[in-house]
Each structure stands twice: as structure tokens, then as C-alpha cells.
Amino acid sequence: IAGITQAPTSQILAAGRRMTLRCTQDMRHNAMYWYRQDLGLGLRLIHYSNTAGTTGKGEVPDGYSVSRANTDDFPLTLASAVPSQTSVYFCASSDGYRDTQYFGPGTRLTVL
Amino acid sequence: SQQGEEDPQALSIQEGENATMNCSYKTSINNLQWYRQNSGRGLVHLILIRSNEREKHSGRLRVTLDTSKKSSSLLITASRAADTASYFCATRVDSSYKLIFGSGTRLLVRP
């Protein structure tokens, strides 16, 4: 593994189903983030974590939850998916001191 | 509403020309960053400028920051077809490490 990986690459999901998007980084960064990207709206922050064991809400947290049990993993869960959660989801991480964020390749999620 | 807004939303230029993109933001910032996104890919960091800096260079990139006007510009000189991408500004506004992204400028460089 080099950098950030996300899984799955894409997923089609029925409304009401539970879904967890996975994100793993091997850079030992202390901060991690989840964004969604919708056409014309840029990236919007869903949740973030400044360090293992802590999480915080971003701009659009409703309908999503995260956990940060260790430094490397930052899964994003949709408890009961709705069509408005159709989007491309990006995970990112940063060594907080350096500020630069490194992005994963994204997960394209479609909720029908 | 978003912290950063890029202008223009889309830009089409000929290879070899310079491309200028602008970003305006609303609140005081710690730093401002520019990222590039190729179609279907994740974002890639280009350059960071801190609130006490006015200009920064990296290769063919030049970034300026005017905190009195709450604006920044990204200049790409001698553009290449490979520069075709979307460009986003992002601001860090508080002690958290989180960034607020603008909606982006889509740049097309015609060969």
C-alpha cells in the first residue's frame, strides 16, 4: 500500500441499505477526512478526525457516521442510504503540521 | 454557502498561453491551498500560501494572496494540454486541520 486506498471503487446500493466505505492510509498521518463531491458543488466535508480516537462534524454530516479506532483506518458508514447520498466520496489525510491533504482515488456511490 | 469561490467557472485556452484563476473567500484564514483534479481522479495538492505571505512560486505556478481583498489567484504559465483539469482553492480557517473547498475552475488547454 502506498498513500490512501478506498474501497469499493464503485457501488450501486438500494435505498434503505447500510453501507460502509473503507479508507486506509499508510503514511501515519494523524488527520483524516471524508468529502463528497457533487457536480457544480465542489467538495464538501462530511466528517473529519484530527487524531485517532477523535472525530468531528463537517459541513454535511447528516446521514453519515465515522469512527477512528486507529491511525490508519477511517471508515464512513451510511446507516440507511437515501438517493440524495448518490455522489463521489473522497477520503483524504494530512500530517496536520504540514497541512497538505492527500486524497484517495474515490468511491462512486449510486443509491437507487 | 462555501468559503471559497473560484472564477471563472470554466476557462479554455490555447497551449502555450497563460491561465489565470481566481479565488475569493469570506473569513480570515490560516492558509490557502490550490489543488488539481484530473477527470475521475482524486485531488492533488499544488501549492500552499500562508496568510502572512503575498506570493509564492512552484515551477510554472504562481500564486498570490491578498488578505485585504480576501482573494487569491493561480497563474499557470506556458500551459500544456496536460494541464487540462479542474482547479480548486481551499482555505484553512481555524485551529482544526480541516479545509473548505471552493467549487472549482475547469481548465481546458487546447493543443
Side-chain angles (χ1 to χ4, degrees):
Chain A
I1 296 179
I4 297 183
T5 58
Q6 292 184 235
T9 302
S10 65
Q11 182 75 44
I12 298 174
L13 189 66
R17 298 295 296 270
R18 180 184 179 89
M19 176 73 190
T20 295
L21 307 185
R22 301 185 297 279
C23 174
T24 299
Q25 54 108 354
D26 66 354
M27 297 174 282
R28 307 302 292 174
H29 285 168
N30 51 3
M32 297 186 75
Y33 317 84
W34 274 105
Y35 296 90
R36 59 178 289 173
Q37 185 175 31
D38 303 290
L39 192 63
L41 292 178
L43 274 79
R44 291 182 291 169
L45 182 66
I46 304 171
H47 286 286
Y48 66 96
S49 169
N50 282 341
T51 188
T54 68
T55 62
K57 294 182 179 181
E59 300 171 79
V60 288
D62 294 343
Y64 306 94
S65 63
V66 292
S67 61
R68 186 85 184 279
N70 58 61
T71 298
D72 298 342
D73 301 300
F74 191 43
L76 175 74
T77 297
L78 290 68
S80 179
V82 295
S84 61
Q85 292 177 310
T86 294
S87 188
V88 181
Y89 291 85
F90 289 99
C91 179
S93 71
S94 70
D95 174 345
Y97 176 72
R98 297 186 184 278
D99 268 336
T100 300
Q101 292 193 9
Y102 295 84
F103 282 78
T107 293
R108 184 174 297 274
L109 181 68
T110 301
V111 182
L112 301 176
Chain B
S1 60
Q2 292 178 293
Q3 161 78 327
E5 294 293 338
E6 285 91 341
D7 172 60
Q9 291 187 336
L11 180 61
S12 178
I13 60 174
Q14 201 70 34
E15 198 166 30
E17 295 179 339
N18 295 341
T20 300
M21 289 159 268
N22 303 296
C23 170
S24 60
Y25 56 92
K26 298 176 182 175
T27 64
S28 296
I29 61 171
N30 181 289
N31 66 61
L32 185 144
Q33 304 177 37
W34 285 90
Y35 286 78
R36 186 180 82 181
Q37 184 181 34
N38 290 91
S39 181
R41 304 286 189 90
L43 278 70
V44 175
H45 181 262
L46 294 176
I47 196 165
L48 179 154
I49 187 166
R50 300 197 182 280
S51 59
N52 61 353
E53 298 175 308
R54 292 297 168 259
E55 188 170 314
K56 207 160 183 182
H57 296 255
S58 176
R60 294 184 295 112
L61 305 180
R62 173 177 168 253
V63 170
T64 61
L65 179 64
D66 186 335
T67 53
S68 67
K69 295 181 179 178
K70 292 186 169 59
S71 68
S72 173
S73 67
L74 170 67
L75 170 66
I76 304 174
T77 61
S79 64
R80 305 165 182 169
D83 294 328
T84 293
S86 292
Y87 293 82
F88 295 88
C89 68
T91 51
R92 179 182 162 187
V93 299
D94 54 29
S95 59
S96 166
Y97 300 140
K98 61 184 180 181
L99 298 177
I100 306 298
F101 284 82
S103 54
T105 292
R106 296 187 310 279
L107 174 65
L108 171 65
V109 181
R110 305 185 305 274

